[in-house]
Amino acid sequence: MTDAPVIGVLALQGDVREHLIALAAADAVARPVRRPEELAEIDGLVIPGGESTTISKLAVLFGVLEPLRERVRGGLPVYGTCAGLILLADKILDPRSGQETIGGIDMIVRRNAFGRQNESFEAAVDIKGVDGDPVEGVFIRAPWVESVGARTEVLAEHEGHIVAVRQGNALATSFHPELTGDHRVHSLFVDMVRANRAPESL
Amino acid sequence: MSSTQNQAPETGTARVKRGMAEQLKGGVIMDVVNAEQAKIAEDAGAVAVMALERVPADIRKDGGVARMSDPNMIEEIIEAVSIPVMAKSRIGHFVEAQVLQSLGVDYIDESEVLTPADEVNHSDKFAFTTPFVCGATNLGEALRRIAEGAAMIRSKGEAGTGNVVEAVRHLRQIKNEIARLRGYDNNELYAAAKDLRAPYELVKEVAELGKLPVVLFSAGGVATPADAALMRQLGAEGVFVGSGIFKSGDPAKRAAAIVKATTFYDDPKIIADASRNLGEAMVGINCDTLPETERYANRGW
């Protein structure tokens, strides 16, 4: 398809490769982005799993944090997994000193809420907007969403904790669909990117 | 499979063990010996820290038997930082590994830097919920560790030397052997498995993927930002830095510089900037003057 949307994956650190593969499988043109100028050329952005403190520090250090905030405020579709969910939160309950977020979703998140690596787990998750069987949720030192604002829609919960949300063009999950080979969540995001692009491309 | 819907969450699966390492990619894992160093590492942008009693350069200097660290020290480091904490067990010392798991470390490094406890067997890593990283000097060694349950591999290099030459040798060896497998037809893979002394299924998987089925980092001798970028350009998905940081003149600055160069490993201008005014690097050892008995890379089989 010639009109495939171009979706960047923030490539400062984390499981960038897996997201690139999942996006390509969902019919997007996927590319890693690290520099402010590269942000201008994309229709959507994925913020991968990784270490949220590290990604946030590198984003400040390399001058992409402000440009990212601007684009997200301007309505750029974004999808964050795990660390990416933390970076899209307007507020972190227990931030490391100086830990900044991009924001975009009116929610408060708790880092490593499900525990350390020994508590990392797999569980089936039903996601609103994803048809068929539940997705295999891979939770790795995963955060959960402590509370959401009025404009934020809860898409999934696990044992009473919010693990997937959407607000407008921003989507976030505590777990890692990119590690499973099931690309339905990425397809949902690619559809969001297409829908966002549709009016101007007509 | 809707039958999974009612199943209890499952911990310690291959996917969460290997997936954990995927989250560390593009990052730097730093050796630290106390909470203060752990905080410096975290502030510099490390993706994880390796808690150990002495950095490899000091283990070399002091001699004697090197063992698992004091649980108090490991717990202090776990308390001090929010990034993952790894710790080392001796090769084949599965009780040290059990202790580390009970302390709640995020990854266990079954490491040749410590004195081996078993000269034949490595630990059965499937027996643990905590994932393991292991060292390798070549593809066969890497695949034997994966067959035992390792969820991440690091090329060994020669720890505590500040000399990158062995890290380069081992990473190139692994990459070259993978590239060679790619060119084999199905008939040849059986003999290749025999030559590699590795399970056929893993050999076939590597031949198909063109990479290891787990994350591959580089370790052992990285001392400068350019060293870290070199390992990344050679195909490492991230780097371990041991003595190179806290044996240097200005650890905080060098740590941050190595993180920068690891992220922008293909941008010489950024590596140049990161390399300015770092103060003294660790002195370093020429590996060709190291007696065979002092080569840690020879440990493990």
Side-chain angles (χ1 to χ4, degrees):
Chain A
M1 272 189 289
T2 51
D3 70 334
V6 178
I7 300 183
V9 179
L10 188 64
L12 295 171
Q13 190 271 314
D15 65 345
V16 176
R17 179 176 172 272
E18 287 61 34
H19 276 290
L20 293 171
I21 292 169
L23 288 168
D27 294 326
V29 174
R31 60 167 73 143
V33 296
R34 285 181 299 181
R35 298 176 176 82
E37 60 271 22
E38 292 164 344
L39 285 176
E41 302 159 1
I42 52 174
D43 304 312
L45 178 73
V46 166
I47 303 167
E51 274 307 308
S52 64
T53 48
T54 306
I55 295 176
S56 132
K57 268 178 198 126
L58 289 169
V60 174
L61 201 59
F62 294 105
V64 288
L65 188 67
E66 269 314 316
L68 276 171
R69 282 177 176 156
E70 237 166 75
R71 287 232 54 196
V72 172
R73 266 199 301 265
L76 177 76
V78 283
Y79 172 35
T81 62
C82 196
L85 170 135
I86 295 170
L87 282 152
L88 289 176
D90 283 347
K91 191 164 182 247
I92 304 176
L93 194 68
D94 48 352
R96 296 300 290 179
S97 64
Q99 183 177 3
E100 304 218 34
T101 70
I102 297 161
I105 300 181
D106 183 7
M107 62 176 171
I108 300 172
V109 299
R110 185 189 288 272
R111 297 161 61 235
N112 306 133
F114 285 106
R116 303 185 67 83
Q117 175 59 17
N118 286 345
E119 286 80 54
S120 292
F121 64 96
E122 288 185 59
V125 182
D126 257 318
I127 307 174
K128 216 168 161 185
V130 174
D131 293 334
D133 291 335
V135 304
E136 299 166 56
V138 182
F139 295 80
I140 297 174
R141 288 169 46 95
W144 69 48
V145 178
E146 197 77 18
S147 63
V148 294
R151 294 167 299 155
T152 307
E153 186 186 6
V154 174
L155 300 183
E157 293 189 8
H158 175 76
E159 293 180 345
H161 301 291
I162 302 167
V163 295
V165 294
R166 177 175 177 178
Q167 180 182 321
N169 278 335
L171 177 71
T173 60
S174 297
F175 48 93
H176 297 275
E178 74 277 13
L179 296 178
T180 63
D182 175 350
H183 306 307
R184 284 176 294 163
V185 181
H186 286 80
S187 293
L188 171 71
F189 179 60
V190 174
D191 286 344
M192 285 167 59
V193 176
R194 282 185 199 280
N196 182 63
R197 221 173 47 147
E200 48 204 308
S201 61
L202 280 178
Chain B
M1 279 143 279
S2 50
S3 59
T4 56
Q5 210 165 356
N6 298 321
Q7 282 173 6
E10 206 184 339
T11 58
T13 63
R15 219 183 239 163
V16 299
K17 287 176 169 178
R18 292 179 179 188
M20 165 78 207
E22 303 285 353
Q23 309 313 312
L24 302 173
K25 283 191 299 192
V28 183
I29 299 167
M30 302 182 191
D31 278 1
V32 297
V33 302
N34 55 44
E36 186 196 346
Q37 288 187 356
K39 281 187 196 144
I40 291 172
E42 184 178 47
D43 287 342
V47 285
V49 289
M50 176 75 69
L52 74 177
E53 222 150 46
R54 292 174 288 170
V55 293
D58 287 332
I59 293 176
R60 271 187 197 287
K61 207 170 65 199
D62 301 350
V65 175
R67 309 177 178 92
M68 177 190 78
S69 299
D70 186 316
N72 274 347
M73 182 272 256
I74 294 168
E75 279 174 353
E76 277 166 29
I77 289 172
I78 288 175
E79 276 304 302
V81 295
S82 76
I83 54 178
V85 176
M86 302 184 170
K88 290 182 193 290
S89 78
R90 281 179 266 177
I91 289 173
H93 204 316
F94 51 86
V95 174
E96 283 188 350
Q98 289 165 3
V99 170
L100 294 175
Q101 172 165 289
S102 81
L103 294 175
V105 304
D106 296 292
Y107 241 92
I108 297 168
D109 183 4
E110 188 181 21
S111 177
E112 70 282 2
V113 169
L114 305 185
T115 311
D118 188 323
E119 290 188 325
V120 178
N121 307 292
H122 285 246
S123 297
D124 169 18
K125 293 164 273 287
F126 288 111
F128 293 81
T129 305
T130 312
F132 278 73
V133 56
C134 289
T137 58
N138 56 52
L139 181 60
E141 198 177 359
L143 295 182
R144 286 193 291 281
R145 297 296 84 78
I146 294 168
E148 295 157 0
M152 179 181 188
I153 294 292
R154 53 176 176 74
S155 58
K156 281 182 179 171
E158 196 51 51
T161 61
N163 186 340
V164 83
V165 65
E166 295 298 309
V168 169
R169 186 195 318 279
H170 299 153
L171 189 63
R172 276 201 188 279
Q173 178 72 26
I174 293 168
K175 298 302 260 188
N176 285 345
E177 287 175 300
I178 292 174
R180 214 176 306 149
L181 279 189
R182 292 281 273 175
Y184 287 177
D185 68 30
N186 283 342
N187 300 295
E188 294 171 302
L189 288 177
Y190 296 95
K194 202 175 125 196
D195 288 342
L196 289 167
R197 293 191 292 129
Y200 166 76
E201 287 70 25
L202 278 175
V203 171
K204 189 165 190 294
E205 191 178 358
V206 170
E208 280 163 8
L209 287 173
K211 65 186 278 300
L212 293 180
V214 302
V215 168
L216 172 63
F217 268 46
S218 168
V222 169
T224 69
D227 286 349
L230 173 66
M231 300 321 294
R232 290 279 277 131
Q233 286 201 27
L234 287 172
E237 297 180 283
V239 293
F240 284 85
V241 186
S243 322
I245 289 172
F246 289 100
K247 283 284 153 190
S248 73
D250 188 343
K253 200 168 172 189
R254 184 166 294 264
I258 290 177
V259 169
K260 265 189 226 177
T262 302
T263 306
F264 286 87
Y265 64 94
D266 53 358
D267 190 330
K269 278 184 106 157
I270 292 181
I271 301 167
D273 283 338
S275 305
R276 289 175 209 279
N277 301 316
L278 290 182
E280 296 240 353
M282 71 179 282
V283 175
I285 298 173
N286 284 322
C287 292
D288 46 10
T289 62
L290 263 188
E292 282 299 309
T293 52
E294 288 177 27
R295 287 177 181 259
Y296 296 156
N298 291 344
R299 298 167 168 178
W301 17 89

